Amino acid sequence: MIDARRLRTLRAVADHRTVTAAAAALYLTPSAVSQQLAALEQETGHTLLVRAGRGVRLTAAGEILLSHADAVLAQLERAEADLAAYSTGAAGEVTVAAFATGIALVLAPAIADLAGTAPGLRVRVLDAEGDASLPMLLDGRADIAVAVEYRGAPRPDDRRLTMLPLYAEPFDAVLPLHHPLAGRDGPVAVADLAAEPWIGPYPGNPCHDVVLLACEHAGFQPRLVHSSDDFRAVTALASAGAGVALVPRSALRGAELSTVAVRPVDSALATRRVFAATRAGAEHHPLIRPVLDTLAATATHLDRPA
């Protein structure tokens, strides 16, 4: 009989590539993780992991077991959801990991609505960058992730997750007031900014990927001179004439814009697509479902393009 807890451990090691990182994600000691993996190998009669440099990798047998583990873990989530639904009432806590503007745009309004429609439900919020919330979800540190599409993100058909599209928002060009394109009518062509110094997020930030993709499609690699993940700082640098930037429209709310020009751009690729995700099978949990539905309803009221 294969212990499901050990399947979770195998999934964590496959995701994090080292026993130490998996142990940290699971709030276990590395020794406990190693013991669980050894027990799992004994249960299955196969070597599941081998060393690879400073980390580990799955053997062929490990890959086979992992593909079944995802289905088993999803079914366990469904079982927990069904049992919770059987219980009378819906009272408890749901942890949501979300990035800052996602919190402001959809999560905070959803919490306000839930206070009236589901008073027994408590929402705990964890501020996490758009690429950090999904690992937190998969590690069990969050029940829902509000995340953005990015290079290397799980695909929509990933069997570990159920994804719910929320909204898409454009990036706008932020230019110094003296820039030749600042006063033009109509969208700015991204290609017209090819020779400029750029201000942008650090690599690893999903917005960095969006900027690179839009520029690559326009035929150039942006010359990133200044880096910041704080869009208020990005706007201030543009105001000082340090360069140009592409910034998600919602991130400009509340920023000081009197000393910069904010212009739409001609690239459909300069778009941030936001979704909510749960572990597969958990989407029908009586505590999680109301949060997902309220997030989706809140997103429909946003003033945004399709």
Side-chain angles (χ1 to χ4, degrees):
M1 182 70 70
I2 297 175
D3 189 323
R5 292 171 299 177
R6 291 166 187 157
L7 293 179
R8 293 188 189 277
T9 302
L10 181 67
R11 164 45 70 189
V13 172
D15 286 339
H16 294 281
R17 300 299 180 184
T18 71
V19 169
T20 300
L26 295 171
Y27 299 100
L28 297 172
T29 65
S31 176
V33 169
S34 296
Q35 289 172 11
Q36 289 197 24
L37 293 172
L40 186 59
E41 290 184 328
Q42 186 173 10
E43 287 172 345
T44 60
H46 291 279
T47 299
L48 303 175
L49 295 160
V50 294
R51 292 193 176 278
R54 295 184 178 180
V56 293
R57 64 173 177 82
L58 294 176
T59 63
E63 293 284 1
I64 291 171
L65 181 59
L66 187 65
S67 68
H68 290 287
D70 290 336
V72 169
L73 295 175
Q75 189 60 42
L76 287 174
E77 293 280 358
R78 294 186 189 98
E80 290 179 5
D82 287 346
L83 288 171
Y86 179 76
S87 302
T88 58
E93 183 176 271
V94 173
T95 300
V96 183
F99 60 102
T101 50
I103 293 172
L105 280 184
V106 291
L107 183 52
I111 291 173
D113 288 344
L114 287 164
T117 60
L121 194 159
R122 302 183 306 278
V123 179
R124 175 172 172 253
V125 179
L126 301 177
D127 189 342
E129 289 295 337
D131 59 339
S133 58
L134 289 177
M136 295 171 70
L137 174 68
L138 291 169
D139 290 340
R141 288 176 285 164
D143 302 304
I144 297 173
V146 176
V148 301
E149 293 181 1
Y150 60 94
R151 293 181 183 181
R155 291 169 49 85
D157 59 356
D158 191 310
R159 293 192 301 171
R160 297 173 295 166
L161 298 170
T162 297
M163 301 184 186
L164 174 68
L166 292 179
Y167 64 92
E169 65 169 323
F171 281 53
D172 289 325
V174 178
L175 311 172
L177 282 179
H178 60 72
H179 194 280
L181 300 178
R184 286 193 185 179
D185 294 329
V188 170
V190 175
D192 289 344
L193 303 174
E196 303 288 346
W198 280 72
I199 312 157
Y202 284 100
N205 186 316
C207 291
H208 178 88
D209 291 343
V210 174
V211 172
L212 286 187
L213 188 62
C215 292
E216 288 170 3
H217 190 260
F220 69 97
Q221 288 279 342
R223 182 165 57 91
L224 284 165
V225 177
H226 309 286
S227 297
S228 175
D229 288 332
D230 185 332
F231 289 115
R232 291 171 300 177
V234 170
T235 302
L237 287 167
S239 171
V244 302
L246 293 181
V247 176
R249 186 166 292 172
S250 65
L252 294 172
R253 296 182 181 183
E256 175 52 59
L257 302 179
S258 63
T259 56
V260 293
V262 179
R263 308 290 302 149
V265 294
D266 67 349
S267 174
L269 295 176
T271 301
R272 176 159 68 174
R273 302 190 183 280
V274 181
F275 61 92
T278 66
R279 291 181 295 277
E283 65 273 16
H284 299 300
H285 191 287
L287 294 176
I288 293 175
R289 186 75 252 169
V291 180
L292 292 175
D293 290 342
T294 306
L295 286 170
T298 303
T300 63
H301 299 304
L302 295 178
D303 180 18
R304 69 195 191 284

